[in-house]
Amino acid sequence: MSHNTFGHLFRVTTWGESHGPALGCVVDGCPPGIRFTLDEIQAYMDKRKPGQSRFVTQRREDDIVKVLSGVMLSEDETVMTTTGTPISMLIENTDQRSKDYGEIARRYRPGHADYAYDLKYGIRDYRGGGRSSARETAARVAAGALARKVIPGVTIRAALVQIGKHKINRGNWDWAQVEQNPFFCPDAAMVPVWEDYLDGIRKAGSSIGAVIEVVAENVPAGLGAPIYAKLDQDIASLLMSINAVKGVEVGEGFAAAELSGEENADEMRMGNDGQPLFLSNHAGGILGGISTGQPITARFAVKPTSSILTERQSIDADGNNVDVRTKGRHDPCVGIRAAPIGEAMVACALADHFLRDRGQTGKAR
Amino acid sequence: MSHNTFGHLFRVTTWGESHGPALGCVVDGCPPGIRFTLDEIQAYMDKRKPGQSRFVTQRREDDIVKVLSGVMLSEDETVMTTTGTPISMLIENTDQRSKDYGEIARRYRPGHADYAYDLKYGIRDYRGGGRSSARETAARVAAGALARKVIPGVTIRAALVQIGKHKINRGNWDWAQVEQNPFFCPDAAMVPVWEDYLDGIRKAGSSIGAVIEVVAENVPAGLGAPIYAKLDQDIASLLMSINAVKGVEVGEGFAAAELSGEENADEMRMGNDGQPLFLSNHAGGILGGISTGQPITARFAVKPTSSILTERQSIDADGNNVDVRTKGRHDPCVGIRAAPIGEAMVACALADHFLRDRGQTGKAR
Amino acid sequence: MSHNTFGHLFRVTTWGESHGPALGCVVDGCPPGIRFTLDEIQAYMDKRKPGQSRFVTQRREDDIVKVLSGVMLSEDETVMTTTGTPISMLIENTDQRSKDYGEIARRYRPGHADYAYDLKYGIRDYRGGGRSSARETAARVAAGALARKVIPGVTIRAALVQIGKHKINRGNWDWAQVEQNPFFCPDAAMVPVWEDYLDGIRKAGSSIGAVIEVVAENVPAGLGAPIYAKLDQDIASLLMSINAVKGVEVGEGFAAAELSGEENADEMRMGNDGQPLFLSNHAGGILGGISTGQPITARFAVKPTSSILTERQSIDADGNNVDVRTKGRHDPCVGIRAAPIGEAMVACALADHFLRDRGQTGKAR
Amino acid sequence: MSHNTFGHLFRVTTWGESHGPALGCVVDGCPPGIRFTLDEIQAYMDKRKPGQSRFVTQRREDDIVKVLSGVMLSEDETVMTTTGTPISMLIENTDQRSKDYGEIARRYRPGHADYAYDLKYGIRDYRGGGRSSARETAARVAAGALARKVIPGVTIRAALVQIGKHKINRGNWDWAQVEQNPFFCPDAAMVPVWEDYLDGIRKAGSSIGAVIEVVAENVPAGLGAPIYAKLDQDIASLLMSINAVKGVEVGEGFAAAELSGEENADEMRMGNDGQPLFLSNHAGGILGGISTGQPITARFAVKPTSSILTERQSIDADGNNVDVRTKGRHDPCVGIRAAPIGEAMVACALADHFLRDRGQTGKAR
């Protein structure tokens, strides 16, 4: 089951199951001389953390990151400076509620990876979803927190733009709102709508999908490479690696299918400051696989979690027809907690291409 | 400008510009003992070939593939058998109409990679788009033709499902139709609509986007790997590597955002033949990154080509405001010719994961 | 400082410094269904462990391996079974004797990596050698213990064949001896010679080099790949990745330069059992980069450690001439503890090629 | 039979058999803006070319390199400038003397890769050695010629230091001599000795091994990475990938086993020019896997070719005992032609690490 690593120069390896003692990641290729505090990393972890509102799973994990290698501590032990060696980060699993998994161990939950894992490996850690649990993404967020530091001045933010059929009004977009509601919603007017809607879904033991948008600003021009290491290709690849993601788009995305060449092209003019200026950003900040300096915009669709209280038809490992109802603490909309993960994935893709462009130590040319 | 290679065990490296003497690819990791004829490869090349209808570029290229290595010829020189060594395939560029590129060499065409290339590399082969020309995809189709042979019995087909705002009626889907119109359209009723629509676009010197769907049938269960080598991730990555692609989705894709967990889960029952049976395929044949044996379905959105006859505002390499009008022979809808390329990319992703699962020689366990 | 990972399908990532809280590795791609006990791993760890005789560093580390992920425990918690997910192993650093590193932090020890690290990264964890400490190899040995399990029936053993100018008599080779002396010496007659010799070196605060031979038996034929993934190439690469290794050879190695084609060729005959039989093994079990089924033999040369009590001329980070004398607990012959590391590296190379040949789950064809 | 590619950022893929229409390589990741002429590349090709003296195979190949992509031609078509896109180079096979291979197709030549290939792949291009022919190395030399250009000012030269038991006197080393004899011998006094010695071997239809030394001067300090991408590790890996190479060493190499720490350490002093100065170079220019700025020295041992006129015992593919005598035009000492190949491999390893350090376009920090 090879390949729990991604990245070419900025390389991240994650490990760990939902119900083992811990999970974590090794961030390899992080340039030396980057200063950070644990609080900075923890702030991102807290955004993804379960149990923060009634709209996400009530599993409680502190998600405290320990840094085991790759840094020098300041005298007062508050600031860490990377040395260029691999940074090992570990997060203990604290809320492993013991329960009888006997049933799930044999029954395939529709829409879960259970059946596919058993087909491929003949063995599977069924406790809490094992490796395919959403807990794996905690390690991604920790890695992403470092990745952000690699590119000076970059800002990477995510927001939910759709839950079920309810899409935000893009005219209302306000990044400040994103921090002020449990949905990472940039449209204040949409918050009560989603609140009502998700309450209904939650009470019914059902679930619903969502669309998340990630925007990266102050990305240097020239990142990426033509053909098979396009920046948008690598962003798409990493966003699709998030559990439950079924679609990815950059810039206009699928809407581009309906546009004419005249509508879609981003015209240019020299700005008053003598710098080239794009008059629009249909491309999402990437042309020919290379960043142009405009904001990079990507969206991804998250399916509804398959863990629902309604009984569904299925089979078990012995080839019997069974009905499966997934009890436990689940997210009515896993898309909500996917926002900080999407940010982390974009951050890692950008850090990797930044180093490919500038070299291992990431120094500016 | 690293990385003109993709794949982990089935590895494809493409090379070549639009206006050099030739382009081609090296297919490395192809198992030994695969038999094929040049005609089989050529059949796929011909589907992608320009100049076949008034709806695609009138550039004429024979796109004849020469196999330079990696095979043993049968006595009568008709059948090639792979030996496991790298297969080098070469396609000569025959229609390199000479023209004055002076203007394009300096002016950035809006929506093209020109500006981004110059920013990154400071030099660019501006003739016919150079490396970012759609001609690069000829090499992909040749590689894809071999990739199909790696998985016994697999069928990989693509169809256009949308041009501009005109979507097919999925109830009319008929694969036989796809071969019978210039649009790879599976809905006979849609063909005259697209014909009229594209005629208008073509005459206006404009362009339009499209959506292509790729379906892979008879894919063995168990291909792919959880987390960072998900089968859907690698398919998404390769589809996004095609020029002009702005979005990718698998199974329900973005529509999954609007589905409830009950609607989206694919229920299972034991079939009359004693084999597990899925009652639906919202997942697009992939669960947890691993193929389930159901058909794999993926879609990708192609933006309208930026090469249009209307003047657009831009700048030149010297920082002057200029207006650019792209003359030449261009596709009114590049999405049409993207269909065989999408097939090739999915074929390569499947071949790679097949070998990762079964080993270098691809023998069944 | 990218690349603390090796392997293509069986992938090992190591992390950790000498004086941090812990070090460890993530073994990714290990097939599912492999059963092992912690005692089995610990047995290999103990062979490498410091402080076991007066001929190795007196630093004391228990080197207890904790397995944090990738396994299912048996009911009685004694046997672990791999699930195919990444296996994270952690070893705590327990003997981090605090001392004043101020001097070493600024002075470059001749023959150490200090100067090169500072040149490249501008920052370096000088405590105990940091990342370039021999402690990193503990993680390799843990990974190697799993790698051995991947290939059924394989035996991988190492022995010292030379310390300083004192070479063993190959006619006396007895694997049983290797376990019975502190030198991994297969020649009982050589043990007292080395004992005397190293006592002298140790008392003088000096150090000496060594040559280690690794032999792998019961390696399946057909592992490796021609040209750029030759089995001997990958073995050489991993052996050279061990700190202080300056040379590697396979089969006859450098001695082959003095042989004629007649002398060097390994003739073949059909054996009485109807199986092909090699009449000699000058090739070291590998032809054209592919294993033949004969024992694989490789040797590597370890330089004397640069940590010696004699003052040597050097410079400091401020460009002053200084004299450096490396105090502390050091190995008079680091080659001794390199034997289990060499075994581990060969085991990992073989496991990787086994999976490349047979596929991710390593099932026999 | 995956992996005919090497390098991480400067990536080379070779393809082609001895008796196909052509062979070649794709050099990917070469920075833009490098200017070269075909004559420069050809000069390196000519050093490796067969048929140049009676001491190498009499097969005649012009080995003319054609550059098919990745460059812009100057107006007068003499100078090529790289654009950063993949550079495809092709060399036609012109001297494919037709002969009856029936016998070799079934009989395993002792010491050749025949047996191992058949075991692994079940099919093999037996004509002229197929993929394992020394002709594959022509592509390496072409790639190496470009690699040299990546690092400004670097000089990479190779010399034979031993044929059979006859070693050069290092005190006589004169690089100017290397160009003036058919052996790349730096010791003028040794030339007549080797001449006599090889004449005898040639007339007897026998063969002999050799040792080649490669020296790289003006290598920037800071190339390489600790642990698993050590510069010496990657050099060793590539030298071991050359056919018939059985051993590799850096700096003192195996001789380091006999040295004490005092003898082996390279002391330092500040030079009169205010620059750090090494007082010796036992390390071969690499410490902790990172270049120090000193000359890099590596040696590799080439076994005698297995193609000899004396009959040797072997078996055939049907399991019969047979005697094999390899007729044809062979090198009495393949080590001679390995000198330019060794240079090329070191050049590629350095170019790769140069780009990893400085970024894709190789600009100085």
Side-chain angles (χ1 to χ4, degrees), chain A residues 1-4 9 11 14-17 21 28 32 68-70 72 84-86 88 120 123 125-126 131 360, chain C residues 1-5 9 11 14-17 21 28 32 68-70 72 84-86 88 120 123 125-126 131 360:
Chain A
M1 201 189 286
S2 204
H3 260 96
N4 291 274
L9 288 188
R11 297 159 66 89
T14 73
W15 56 270
E17 280 79 34
D28 193 12
L68 300 180
S69 67
M72 294 285 276
T85 60
S88 177
K120 186 175 185 83
I123 183 173
D125 191 342
Y126 45 77
R131 181 70 180 144
Q360 275 180 330
Chain C
M1 203 188 286
S2 203
H3 260 95
N4 290 274
T5 297
L9 288 189
R11 298 157 66 89
T14 73
W15 56 270
E17 279 80 32
D28 193 14
L68 300 179
S69 66
M72 295 285 277
T85 59
S88 177
K120 186 174 185 85
I123 182 174
D125 190 343
Y126 45 78
R131 181 70 181 146
Q360 273 179 331

Side-chain angles (χ1 to χ4, degrees), chain C residues 134-152:
Chain C
R135 268 197 73 61
E136 184 269 340
T137 59
R140 302 183 188 219
V141 172
L146 288 177
R148 290 165 193 268
K149 291 269 178 175
V150 170
I151 309 178

Side-chain angles (χ1 to χ4, degrees), chain B residues 52-118:
Chain B
Q52 300 198 112
S53 79
R54 68 183 184 275
F55 304 109
V56 292
T57 176
Q58 294 307 299
R59 175 174 172 144
R60 298 212 170 265
E61 293 283 359
D62 287 335
D63 281 356
I64 302 295
V65 174
K66 290 183 189 170
V67 177
L68 300 179
S69 66
V71 297
M72 295 284 277
L73 265 177
S74 61
E75 291 281 312
D76 64 356
E77 305 207 341
T78 56
V79 180
M80 294 179 170
T81 305
T82 61
T83 59
T85 59
I87 300 164
S88 176
M89 296 192 282
L90 182 144
I91 301 155
E92 287 178 12
N93 285 326
T94 52
D95 182 19
Q96 309 163 45
R97 194 176 292 191
S98 66
K99 72 173 188 183
D100 177 16
Y101 283 100
E103 194 172 289
I104 282 178
R106 306 295 298 167
R107 295 179 170 204
Y108 299 128
R109 294 166 296 167
H112 277 86
D114 306 345
Y115 176 69
Y117 266 61
D118 264 8

Side-chain angles (χ1 to χ4, degrees), chain D residues 24-65:
Chain D
C25 64
V26 182
V27 178
D28 193 13
C30 192
I34 291 180
R35 293 161 57 89
F36 67 96
T37 65
L38 277 183
D39 287 349
E40 285 177 290
I41 293 185
Q42 209 59 47
Y44 292 109
M45 299 303 292
D46 290 348
K47 289 173 71 177
R48 194 211 68 99
K49 208 169 64 175
Q52 302 198 110
S53 81
R54 67 182 184 276
F55 304 110
V56 294
T57 176
Q58 293 308 299
R59 176 174 171 143
R60 298 211 170 265
E61 294 282 358
D62 286 336
D63 282 357
I64 302 295
V65 174

Side-chain angles (χ1 to χ4, degrees), chain B residues 107-345:
Chain B
R107 295 179 170 204
Y108 299 128
R109 294 166 296 167
H112 277 86
D114 306 345
Y115 176 69
Y117 266 61
D118 264 8
L119 266 184
K120 186 174 185 83
Y121 300 105
I123 182 174
R124 163 175 56 93
D125 191 342
Y126 44 78
R127 299 167 301 166
R131 181 71 181 144
S132 59
S133 159
R135 267 196 75 59
E136 184 269 341
T137 59
R140 302 182 187 221
V141 172
L146 287 178
R148 291 166 192 267
K149 291 269 178 176
V150 170
I151 309 178
V154 77
T155 302
I156 303 164
R157 292 180 291 194
L160 261 75
V161 296
Q162 180 181 347
I163 292 181
K165 290 186 191 300
H166 303 284
K167 301 183 184 181
I168 64 154
N169 179 340
R170 298 186 74 87
N172 292 344
W173 195 295
D174 176 6
W175 279 112
Q177 287 298 321
V178 165
E179 309 278 331
Q180 291 165 28
N181 62 69
F183 308 113
F184 302 101
C185 179
D187 173 1
M190 184 54 66
V191 173
V193 179
W194 284 358
E195 215 156 27
D196 278 0
Y197 182 61
L198 279 183
D199 267 335
I201 285 167
R202 186 172 56 83
K203 285 171 188 160
S206 182
S207 65
I208 192 72
V211 176
I212 296 97
E213 180 162 326
V214 187
V215 180
E217 289 165 295
N218 298 324
V219 176
L223 305 192
I227 316 303
Y228 302 117
K230 288 185 162 82
L231 183 56
D232 36 0
Q233 175 186 6
D234 286 356
I235 288 174
S237 174
L238 285 181
L239 291 176
M240 281 294 275
S241 79
I242 304 173
N243 288 335
V245 172
K246 301 303 284 183
V248 180
E249 53 185 17
V250 170
E252 288 289 345
F254 278 86
E258 306 193 359
L259 296 181
S260 70
E262 290 78 6
E263 292 164 333
N264 188 61
D266 298 312
E267 294 184 287
M268 298 183 79
R269 274 291 176 250
M270 294 305 294
N272 293 331
D273 59 353
Q275 293 302 306
L277 197 70
F278 283 96
L279 307 184
S280 58
N281 189 13
H282 298 290
I286 302 173
L287 285 173
I290 299 170
S291 64
T292 61
Q294 283 204 289
I296 289 173
T297 58
R299 272 174 305 283
F300 59 102
V302 178
K303 70 174 184 181
T305 182
S306 315
S307 300
I308 48 176
L309 288 180
T310 315
E311 275 197 346
R312 310 306 294 165
Q313 300 182 70
S314 189
I315 61 171
D316 67 16
D318 303 314
N320 302 310
N321 286 339
V322 294
D323 291 324
V324 177
R325 189 166 161 267
T326 312
K327 286 163 279 186
R329 302 157 293 167
H330 297 291
D331 289 285
C333 176
V334 282
I336 297 174
R337 289 171 58 213
I341 305 163
E343 289 179 6
M345 293 291 91

